[in-house]
Structure formats: C-alpha cells, structure tokens
Amino acid sequence: MKYHKFKAGEKAGTYVAETPVTEEDILTMAQQLSRQRLAKGRRIEQPADAFTYLQTLMHAYEHEVFGALLLDNRHRIITFAEIFRGTLDAASVYPREVVKIALSHNAAALVLVHNHPSGDPEPSEADKRITIQLRDALSMVGVRTLDHVVVSTEGHVSLAERALL
C-alpha cells in the first residue's frame, strides 16, 4: 500500500482518491503519514500534534509497547524508538535501557509514550511510578523528560498536562 492511490486536492493538505481504497488502506496511509510527521529534523511546535501522530502509530497494537520520541536541544526530532514490547496489559521498562538509547542518539530531551491496548488511556499507578524513575534517571545524564503520553483507541493522556511529571 503506497500513497499513489491519492493525488493532491485543491486545498493544501487535502487529497483525492483516484481509485477505491479500503479502510485498511486508509489506516496504513495514516500510519505512514504519522511516521513522516515524526521524521528526523522536524520540530515539535505543539505537543498536541505529537500526541496525534503517536496515537496513530501506536493505538492499534494488541500488546503494550513503550517508546520514546528523542529530541535535540531545539526540540527537533532525532528519531522515534520503540524500546520495549510487553503483554496485553503490561510492559517491563528498564530505566538503564532508556538512558542508553537517549545517550546513543545524543538526545537533549524526549517524550515517553506507551499504549494501552484496553482502549482506556488513563495512566496506572505503575505508569506514574516508572515515569518518575525515568525522569530522575534521565535527568542525571542531562536529558529532559518533557512528557509521558499514554495512547489508546479512546484518546491520549499527557502526564505533564496533569502535573504528574
């Protein structure tokens, strides 16, 4: 599935289907577009934009996935990394490994993200605890934790917006 089924519309940011597309085609294209929006060098202007792209990328997994959007000192994207994969309702997250990945990419800041396959984006107590552990570990090596976002089919929750970071 590629973008060739669409052509640019008359208004910027709009597209017209040249041939019939399936729901699966549309979802695949949305994920491809989200990956492009999270491409290296793009600056995160509004947190809500990043939340939408991350939700599109991760909401449909049937197991928990924990990742990080690694940023430079101007909040430009270095890369998006899926770091841990878990089970239906949990993923083991190791601060040491997150620190290693942040340092290997020379990240100045990051946005942590994981999905809830249940559909409910409400962070658990374990989510809140690991967020603090990660923030503290990353801070020791000079990497700022800007947010931890929980995404699901029903939306997303920002721990920074709730003052839990």
Side-chain angles (χ1 to χ4, degrees):
M1 187 35 257
K2 297 203 181 332
Y3 291 112
H4 70 275
K5 290 189 175 186
F6 285 104
K7 64 179 183 177
E10 291 181 21
K11 292 183 181 177
T14 64
Y15 302 90
V16 177
E18 295 179 323
T19 59
V21 293
T22 66
E23 183 176 304
E24 186 174 331
D25 290 340
I26 292 169
L27 293 173
T28 299
M29 287 183 276
Q31 287 186 326
Q32 290 171 341
L33 187 57
S34 288
R35 285 189 204 289
Q36 279 188 339
R37 295 292 186 257
L38 294 174
K40 182 175 181 167
R42 280 190 174 251
R43 183 163 159 52
I44 301 295
E45 300 288 343
Q46 299 293 325
D49 293 339
F51 300 161
T52 301
Y53 303 142
L54 292 167
Q55 182 179 5
T56 301
L57 283 178
M58 298 182 69
H59 79 276
Y61 285 127
E62 294 179 355
H63 54 278
E64 279 205 15
V65 175
F66 184 93
L69 186 59
L70 302 158
L71 308 170
D72 68 12
N73 61 349
R74 293 185 178 172
H75 296 176
R76 292 178 302 208
I77 296 169
I78 296 170
T79 192
F80 172 71
E82 288 183 8
I83 306 170
F84 303 105
R85 288 179 176 264
T87 62
L88 181 63
D89 62 354
S92 296
V93 176
Y94 302 97
R96 181 179 195 275
E97 297 303 315
V98 177
V99 169
K100 281 173 46 178
I101 287 172
L103 292 175
S104 72
H105 286 92
N106 202 27
L110 54 69
V111 174
L112 302 168
V113 60
H114 80 276
N115 69 313
H116 278 179
S118 67
D120 180 5
E122 196 60 37
S124 67
E125 288 304 314
D127 294 339
K128 295 172 189 176
R129 280 192 305 274
I130 195 64
T131 300
I132 299 307
Q133 290 173 1
L134 289 166
R135 180 201 65 196
D136 294 347
L138 289 158
S139 176
M140 292 184 74
V141 295
V143 178
R144 293 181 318 278
T145 304
L146 302 179
D147 205 343
H148 182 171
V149 183
V150 182
V151 300
S152 76
T153 54
E154 294 177 14
H156 68 271
V157 172
S158 161
L159 275 73
E161 287 179 355
R162 292 195 176 177
L164 296 171
L165 188 62

